Structure formats: structure tokens, C-alpha cells
Amino acid sequence: MHPRIATPDRAGTQTLLSLGLTPSAAVSKEFYDSMGATPAMPGSVVSCGNPVEPNLEVLAQLHVDLIVTGTIPPDGRDVLARVAPVFHLDIYTGRDGALARAGDETLRLARLLGIEAAGHAYVADLARTIDREAARLRTRPRRAVYIVGLAPDGRNMTVYGRNSIMHDVMVALGVGNAWTGPTGGAGFTNTGIEELARNPKADILHIDYGAGTDAALAKLAASPFWTNLPMVQAGRVRRVPRFEVFGGLPLAAQFATLLADALLGERAA
């Protein structure tokens, strides 16, 4: 019998589900789904709210044996530890290698839970996905790619680079990351869209955040700077369905396929 496990953030939830286990309580399903996280979370999972402030009363009432986190900061984990032992997936450390750490941490959790075979099976399946998508991209021109989220104001963006799982997936697929500037511990930085002009030969992939993205594109359509960018004029701007950018290992497979589909023109701009 497996222990009762709570996963109050998306990375923890993704990782446990990828191992074939369903948490007793997790970050709210509405929030999880709204961020494009995978695998799918069963509707039967009890919500423990938002990861910024998990509902400790719910966790205590469920008598959880273990709490798995991936992005909750140390002070938040200290609070959770009052309810049950905390297993933290040490992925976002501000150092290169987030993808490798996500794999290692998934296996470490699987060993703790006595399901190491499930962990190795998932890692092997991811490797096959990476190989498949890399093969699909081999004939694509070797242009670098910006991965961004456009701010509704049409002037700013979030751009993803080193220290993110997405960056490491791009490396594995043979796709250059056009953002070579600094990033924080979770692999992103907020900056102005003028930075896109630094690599005019690159493609732009922007994450679909619904109304916010629509507002950004409406403003950018009236911006001479944007409309004169070579990649915009050449139609090398693609809109990618949202995905959990601060996820666990499942993010890698999801992003690899989304990236390949977008770069090969299999998703609408």
C-alpha cells in the first residue's frame, strides 16, 4: 500500500502522476489545468489550494504521510513540514542542467516510494520522445529560437533561457536558444521586446496565455518596431499552446513535441 502523498505545487503533482500514482491532495485542479500541466490530474484528487499558500488544514485532515514539492521555497516547505515530511524535487537551483536534475529527482522519488522501475520506465520513455522529435527536426533550417511569453502591454516579455528545462530540451533537440542573456534560478528573465532585435535571424515562439496574449498581439500589430522585425516580416512567429514552464520531468516531453510541431508548421501561428 502506497503512502498518502500530497503535492501542493504543479511540479510535484506532475512528477507523482508520471510515476503512475495519484496524490491524495494536490494543487487545485483548476489551477493545474489552467497552466497547461500534464499528465492529466484526476478530478477525484482533493484540492489543497494555491501553491503560494497551501491549505494546511486539508493536509492535516487527510493524514498525509509525505508532501512532494518542486517550486515551493524553503520557508514554505518549513511550514509544510509541520504536517508531514517534505520531499523536495531539487530541479531549479540556478545552475545549468535542470533537465538532468529533473530526471535524477524523479528517480530519487521513485526509489523512496519503492517504485524505481516506474521511474526508469518514464525516463526511458522521455528519451524516446526526445529522439523522435530530434529526428523530425533534422531537416529544419538551423535557426535559433526565442521562447517567450508576451506581456499584455505589448512592450515587455518573459524569455526563457539557461537554467530552464526548456533550454535543455532545445539543446537535446539540436535547436539553438536565441536568448543568451542572463536568467534567474528558474531559467527566465523579464525584459523589453526590443531585445528580440539582437538576433533577427531567429524564430519567435510565444506561449498562448489567452486574453493576455491576444491583447499583446493587438498592440504589437500597431508597433513599427514589431512589424519591422525580420522574423515578423518573414512569418517566423508561432503561437504555442500553454504548458507548465516551471514543471517537473513531464514538461520535457510536452515541450519537445510542442516545439517540434510549431517549428515544422504543424500548429497555427
Side-chain angles (χ1 to χ4, degrees):
M1 181 176 176
H2 292 297
R4 292 180 296 274
I5 303 172
T7 55
D9 65 21
R10 281 110 60 201
T13 302
Q14 286 184 299
T15 302
L16 194 69
L17 290 170
S18 75
L19 293 172
L21 298 181
T22 301
S24 298
V27 59
S28 103
K29 177 174 169 56
E30 181 181 7
F31 190 23
Y32 182 87
D33 291 346
S34 73
M35 299 308 293
T38 57
M41 188 200 305
S44 59
V45 177
V46 175
S47 171
C48 58
N50 190 297
V52 174
E53 193 172 359
N55 191 321
L56 300 182
E57 184 176 350
V58 167
L59 299 179
Q61 288 174 348
L62 290 173
H63 302 289
V64 297
D65 303 301
L66 182 69
I67 299 172
V68 178
T69 65
T71 56
I72 292 176
D75 56 348
R77 301 199 299 268
D78 289 343
V79 173
L80 289 169
R82 300 173 191 168
V83 177
V86 175
F87 181 103
H88 184 64
L89 299 158
D90 199 20
I91 299 171
Y92 297 103
T93 64
R95 303 189 308 274
D96 285 350
L99 176 58
R101 284 192 299 275
D104 291 344
E105 292 297 272
T106 298
L107 292 175
R108 187 167 70 93
L109 178 60
R111 283 193 295 272
L112 175 69
L113 299 176
I115 53 171
E116 192 168 1
H120 284 293
Y122 190 81
V123 169
D125 188 57
L126 170 61
R128 287 189 290 271
T129 298
I130 295 288
D131 287 345
R132 181 188 71 232
E133 303 304 343
R136 290 176 64 202
L137 288 167
R138 261 182 215 125
T139 58
R140 173 188 172 266
R142 292 286 177 171
R143 286 191 300 269
V145 178
Y146 285 108
I147 304 295
V148 306
L150 299 170
D153 63 11
R155 296 190 302 273
N156 296 288
M157 64 180 181
T158 300
V159 60
Y160 298 90
R162 302 183 79 92
N163 306 333
S164 72
I165 287 178
M166 290 86 77
H167 175 84
D168 293 348
V169 169
M170 293 170 76
V171 171
L173 295 178
V175 177
N177 192 329
W179 181 256
T180 58
T183 59
F188 74 96
T189 192
N190 295 314
T191 188
I193 62 165
E194 66 274 4
E195 293 294 329
L196 296 170
R198 289 182 179 274
N199 191 342
K201 295 182 179 180
D203 291 357
I204 300 172
L205 267 62
H206 63 92
I207 305 166
D208 185 358
Y209 288 113
T213 299
D214 291 340
L217 292 173
K219 291 181 178 176
L220 288 169
S223 162
F225 169 79
W226 175 263
T227 56
N228 284 300
L229 282 172
M231 56 274 264
V232 174
Q233 293 187 331
R236 300 198 313 273
V237 179
R238 309 294 288 180
R239 186 165 176 157
V240 182
R242 75 183 67 184
F243 55 90
E244 178 48 69
V245 295
F246 306 122
L249 195 59
L251 158 60
Q254 181 185 24
F255 178 66
T257 299
L258 290 175
L259 178 67
D261 284 353
L263 294 180
L264 295 172
E266 296 177 18
R267 290 190 182 273

